[in-house]
Amino acid sequence: MKRLKKGLFQKSQNYSRRQLVIQIIFASLVVVFFFRIINIYQIDAGGISIQKKASKQAELTSSVQARRGDILDRHGDVLASNLILKKINLDSTQIQTAFIPKLAQALMMPEKKLRKIIKKKLSKHAGRKNLIIKQNLRLTNPILEKIKALKKIRLKICKIKRKKKQINFLDTVLIFTKLKADKPTDSRVEACKREQIKGVRLQTDTRRYYPKSAALAPLIGRINHNKKGISGIEGEFESILAGQNSLTHLGFNSDSQGAYFNPIVHKALKHGQDIQLTIDTNVQFHAYAAIKKAVEKHEANSGSAIILKPNGEILAMVNYPADDPNNKALYNPKHYRNRVLSDKLDPGSTVKPFTMLLALEKKKITAKDDELIDVTKRIGHLKPDKKYKYMTVKKILQKSHNLGTVNVAERLTKEDLYDTWSKLGFGRPLGLIPSIENSGLLRYYSDWSKADKRSLSFGYGPMQTNLAQLARAYLVFANDGAIPSLKLINGIATNKQKTQVFSKQTTHRIAELLDAVVSLKGSGYRARIKGYSVAGKTGTAEMVINGRYNKNGAKRTFFTGFVPVKKPKYIMAVRLDYPKKCYAYYKPYSKISCKGSNSAAIVFKEAMENILNSDQSVKLLAKK
């Protein structure tokens, strides 16, 4: 009996002990959990509390990209715009293997190639989640529809998962209190379910598109891979075209009523502005086609041209060679050079009309048919050619006679020449695209020698210019002796005042004489256009190479003219750099020395003839 009582007492005592142990364990857990709850707000996590860290993780900075402005011509035709495209971005870590064959079909590429690309991407430690597999896809590209269809398909995807064996509550408590070692055991099981493809993202992208291709490339310029303008109009007006991306900060606001996030706008979204040029794409096209043809036919290094309206608006600005800016794989900096504005040069005989204008204005000549200029005596280094003894002003211009021109210039003062050339704009910036423009040179007359004064009268010496300045000077023939500022961008204020350089009567008289230059007896005979009155002047100038004028045939040829002679509507200046093959007019296969008469004059004729044929208003003027 005593043994029985003793046994019951021991069992009861053991049971009480176990209860006590369990109670202690639970009490310990409660203390631990309570401690954690109190301390969770005070735990340091990288220098800040978890509360603050959670709040910080809830913050977000978002940005919306501004749309780049378009570049338009005078009629609103697009010269540069943003083409909306799509690209396919793959997350190589998410794509299920079972989908790769169908994905390859949708991408219209070999499966083996796709697997190789994904494998290579997976082998990299960084950037594995972004694989641009296709880009620059037009919205009509069939690949886009195939990808959309693929995303709707579900395939059976099986994965091997580790399944951890469950343990009872008591073991959980003992493990937590470290009274028992944690020895997890698990098993591998196959889990299958039907899934859609993962890791395939269709993203919107934009690409700058230039509809007129190479014809306007040196003027319009291009953007770089960061979509920032780096040349031409794109570069000069980057801040206007690019606009401003938005920047918004979203942060947690515990004091807000019903609003979880409090948006703060740091930068407002401003889309880029459109820029409209004075360029006429039809005129530009004909000028570009003529320049390109001439450069290739005459094997010239390059060619350029500019066409103006009488009010100074630029209708065309052409340079060749030029690259297609839509072809990103093709880039030669020289082919984006705007030679019309950036190159300073000797304009040669194209300035002779201004010498005659000034002499007539100062009453040093009469420019009448009975006035004869003696060309039998040497002046400076210029010797008589024994072909002419006495020449009229008309004949001097018609034959582009240097000695006759210098004979007239000898009657003028340095001050008058300098003042007139300055008023014509030589050596002064035009302000069209300042970052690339070369304003040329016009030395002050006090530094001139006699040789400088003489050579200035026929396009050499103390003056160098760019092609745009030369064309602008010829605007006096379309504005009764006055000269307006040039204009390239509509909507930008320009000086509307004209500078009066010559009188109306003087300008009209010399314009009549320049009409004779573009005749069968004149140096500009190959600029004639049937049915229209054309006036202008040829020019040929030696090129400066390594600081010296080249005497081995490296020349620039020019023609600057206007049409019609009375009330001109178009003024055009043409330049060819070192044309090497020129041909006689009556013997098309007979090679002759290249001059402005047999190269640049032809460009004027071919371009202007096409322009006039599409302009009915000029035909009416020509008949009056």
Side-chain angles (χ1 to χ4, degrees):
M1 188 71 177
K2 286 182 180 181
R3 288 183 180 178
L4 181 61
K5 286 181 180 182
K6 186 178 180 180
L8 288 172
F9 175 76
Q10 287 178 343
K11 287 182 179 181
S12 175
Q13 191 177 35
N14 291 337
Y15 180 75
S16 298
R17 287 177 180 174
R18 284 197 295 271
Q19 275 189 325
L20 181 60
V21 171
I22 292 172
Q23 287 174 357
I24 291 171
I25 290 171
F26 275 111
S28 300
L29 286 174
V30 170
V31 171
V32 170
F33 290 141
F34 183 72
F35 175 77
R36 294 292 291 175
I37 291 170
I38 293 175
N39 196 46
I40 195 167
Y41 296 99
Q42 307 300 326
I43 292 177
D44 183 76
I48 60 174
S49 68
I50 286 181
Q51 261 191 319
K52 291 181 179 179
K53 186 176 181 181
S55 178
K56 190 171 183 179
Q57 288 178 345
E59 294 178 357
L60 176 67
T61 299
S62 65
S63 177
V64 177
Q65 190 173 17
R67 185 190 71 83
R68 191 174 183 85
D70 293 343
I71 301 175
L72 312 170
D73 86 335
R74 67 187 302 110
H75 303 298
D77 290 340
V78 175
L79 306 180
S81 186
N82 298 311
L83 193 64
I84 298 177
L85 303 168
K86 292 287 186 179
K87 61 182 178 182
I88 301 174
N89 191 352
L90 304 183
D91 183 345
S92 54
T93 64
Q94 290 190 17
I95 297 173
Q96 306 97 314
T97 305
F99 273 101
I100 289 181
K102 291 188 177 295
L103 178 59
Q105 291 177 6
L107 294 172
M108 301 175 69
M109 63 187 299
E111 180 185 337
K112 186 177 180 180
K113 182 180 178 180
L114 178 60
R115 289 183 183 274
K116 185 177 180 180
I117 293 172
I118 292 175
K119 184 180 179 181
K120 185 177 179 181
K121 192 70 175 177
L122 284 169
S123 65
K124 296 181 179 180
H125 295 290
R128 295 186 299 170
K129 294 187 177 182
N130 288 289
L131 171 59
I132 307 299
I133 195 71
K134 292 285 183 180
Q135 60 184 337
N136 297 329
L137 299 175
R138 298 286 183 95
L139 299 181
T140 55
N141 195 299
I143 290 178
L144 298 179
E145 291 301 320
K146 291 177 181 290
I147 291 295
K148 289 177 182 178
L150 175 63
K151 286 193 166 191
K152 296 178 182 179
I153 296 174
R154 290 180 176 270
L155 295 179
K156 184 180 179 182
I157 306 296
C158 296
K159 297 178 182 178
I160 303 296
K161 292 185 177 181
R162 292 176 60 185
K163 187 176 181 181
K164 193 173 182 179
K165 291 183 178 180
Q166 293 184 347
I167 56 177
N168 58 43
F169 177 76
L170 183 58
D171 287 338
T172 302
V173 172
L174 293 173
I175 291 170
F176 181 83
T177 56
K178 297 185 178 180
L179 297 175
K180 183 178 180 180
D182 183 14
K183 295 181 180 179
T185 55
D186 55 19
S187 60
R188 294 178 177 271
V189 294
E190 185 180 63
C192 299
K193 64 177 181 178
R194 301 188 69 81
E195 295 181 359
Q196 292 177 306
I197 192 170
K198 296 178 182 178
V200 178
R201 301 187 296 274
L202 278 175
Q203 297 175 331
T204 301
D205 196 9
T206 58
R207 187 183 71 182
R208 201 65 166 165
Y209 179 61
Y210 303 91
K212 305 305 176 182
S213 188
L216 275 155
L219 172 60
I220 300 298
R222 68 195 295 269
I223 62 174
N224 61 13
H225 64 282
N226 291 324
K227 300 182 180 179
K228 182 178 180 181
I230 56 173
S231 64
I233 298 296
E234 293 275 33
E236 189 71 27
F237 299 94
E238 166 65 18
S239 60
I240 296 173
L241 289 165
Q244 177 179 275
N245 296 341
S246 71
L247 185 63
T248 304
H249 180 77
L250 299 174
F252 178 72
N253 186 358
S254 58
D255 297 329
S256 64
Q257 297 179 354
Y260 185 73
F261 287 101
N262 180 30
I264 300 173
V265 178
H266 294 289
K267 288 184 181 180
L269 177 64
K270 292 181 182 178
H271 290 300
Q273 299 178 40
D274 294 345
I275 288 180
Q276 186 175 41
L277 307 183
T278 59
I279 296 294
D280 185 315
T281 51
N282 181 58
V283 175
Q284 177 82 17
F285 170 78
H286 292 305
Y288 177 77
I291 283 288
K292 181 181 179 182
K293 180 180 177 181
V295 169
E296 294 173 351
K297 177 182 178 180
H298 299 297
E299 294 185 1
N301 291 353
S302 61
S304 50
I306 181 172
I307 300 178
L308 307 176
K309 286 186 68 177
N311 64 359
E313 291 182 358
I314 299 173
L315 297 175
M317 189 179 288
V318 174
N319 295 275
Y320 186 82
D323 284 340
D324 180 2
N326 297 308
N327 186 351
K328 302 302 180 183
L330 187 67
Y331 177 63
N332 185 337
K334 293 181 180 179
H335 294 173
Y336 283 87
R337 184 175 179 84
N338 191 336
R339 298 174 181 83
V340 173
L341 296 175
S342 62
D343 292 1
K344 67 177 182 180
L345 41 84
D346 297 298
S349 297
T350 56
V351 302
K352 287 178 180 176
F354 306 123
T355 303
M356 299 304 177
L357 278 165
L358 178 57
L360 183 59
E361 190 77 16
K362 296 294 181 181
K363 300 186 182 338
K364 302 299 181 181
I365 58 173
T366 63
K368 293 181 179 179
D369 292 339
D370 59 353
E371 180 186 31
L372 296 176
I373 309 294
D374 185 359
V375 292
T376 61
K377 298 176 182 179
R378 175 174 177 165
I379 301 177
H381 70 284
L382 295 173
K383 299 177 182 180
D385 56 13
K386 298 181 181 181
K387 187 176 182 180
Y388 302 101
K389 292 184 178 180
Y390 296 94
M391 301 179 75
T392 63
V393 172
K394 176 181 177 179
K395 181 70 74 174
I396 290 172
L397 289 172
Q398 194 177 48
K399 299 301 181 181
S400 195
H401 202 272
N402 286 350
L403 183 57
T405 304
V406 171
N407 191 306
V408 172
E410 290 289 90
R411 308 174 191 187
L412 301 168
T413 66
K414 294 179 184 179
E415 293 90 336
D416 286 339
L417 280 164
Y418 175 83
D419 183 60
T420 301
W421 261 238
S422 182
K423 285 181 179 178
L424 288 169
F426 294 122
R428 295 172 178 262
L430 294 167
L432 299 173
I433 307 179
S435 62
I436 67 167
E437 185 181 322
N438 190 322
S439 57
L441 171 71
L442 179 61
R443 292 204 326 264
Y444 196 62
Y445 67 87
S446 62
D447 295 331
W448 296 0
S449 65
K450 287 185 178 180
D452 286 333
K453 177 190 166 186
R454 292 163 183 165
S455 60
L456 178 68
S457 68
F458 57 88
Y460 284 94
M463 185 269 287
Q464 288 184 314
T465 184
N466 62 41
L467 198 64
Q469 286 179 348
L470 178 62
R472 179 178 179 248
Y474 269 74
L475 288 176
V476 296
F477 296 109
N479 291 277
D480 296 330
I483 184 170
S485 299
L486 295 190
K487 186 176 183 179
L488 179 61
I489 311 293
N490 280 330
I492 294 181
T494 56
N495 183 9
K496 294 183 179 181
Q497 291 185 342
K498 298 179 181 179
T499 302
Q500 196 70 40
V501 186
F502 308 108
S503 67
K504 179 179 178 180
Q505 295 76 14
T506 297
T507 309
H508 286 188
R509 177 55 185 158
I510 299 301
E512 290 174 0
L513 301 185
L514 290 177
D515 189 6
V517 175
V518 189
S519 66
L520 280 174
K521 294 182 179 181
S523 62
Y525 69 101
R526 298 181 85 166
R528 292 174 301 127
I529 302 173
K530 187 176 181 180
Y532 298 93
S533 59
V534 180
K537 186 69 190 73
T538 57
T540 306
E542 293 175 349
M543 294 176 66
V544 176
I545 299 177
N546 297 325
R548 292 186 177 185
Y549 287 108
N550 184 274
K551 302 297 182 181
N552 299 319
K555 297 177 180 179
R556 286 192 177 96
T557 63
F558 301 90
F559 184 87
T560 306
F562 49 94
V563 61
V565 177
K566 294 181 178 180
K567 297 182 180 180
K569 186 171 183 182
Y570 298 104
I571 298 89
M572 182 178 186
V574 178
R575 157 197 166 192
L576 292 176
D577 287 349
Y578 196 8
K580 303 169 189 65
K581 285 186 178 180
C582 293
Y583 302 87
Y585 180 62
Y586 293 105
K587 296 180 180 179
Y589 299 102
S590 177
K591 291 183 181 180
I592 55 176
S593 176
C594 287
K595 296 182 179 180
S597 58
N598 52 33
S599 57
I602 300 172
V603 179
F604 179 94
K605 185 257 177 84
E606 291 191 356
M608 200 55 66
E609 189 171 37
N610 288 322
I611 293 167
L612 293 170
N613 285 339
S614 60
D615 189 341
Q616 298 297 318
S617 64
V618 179
K619 289 185 178 181
L620 294 173
L621 288 170
K623 291 177 182 178
K624 290 184 179 180

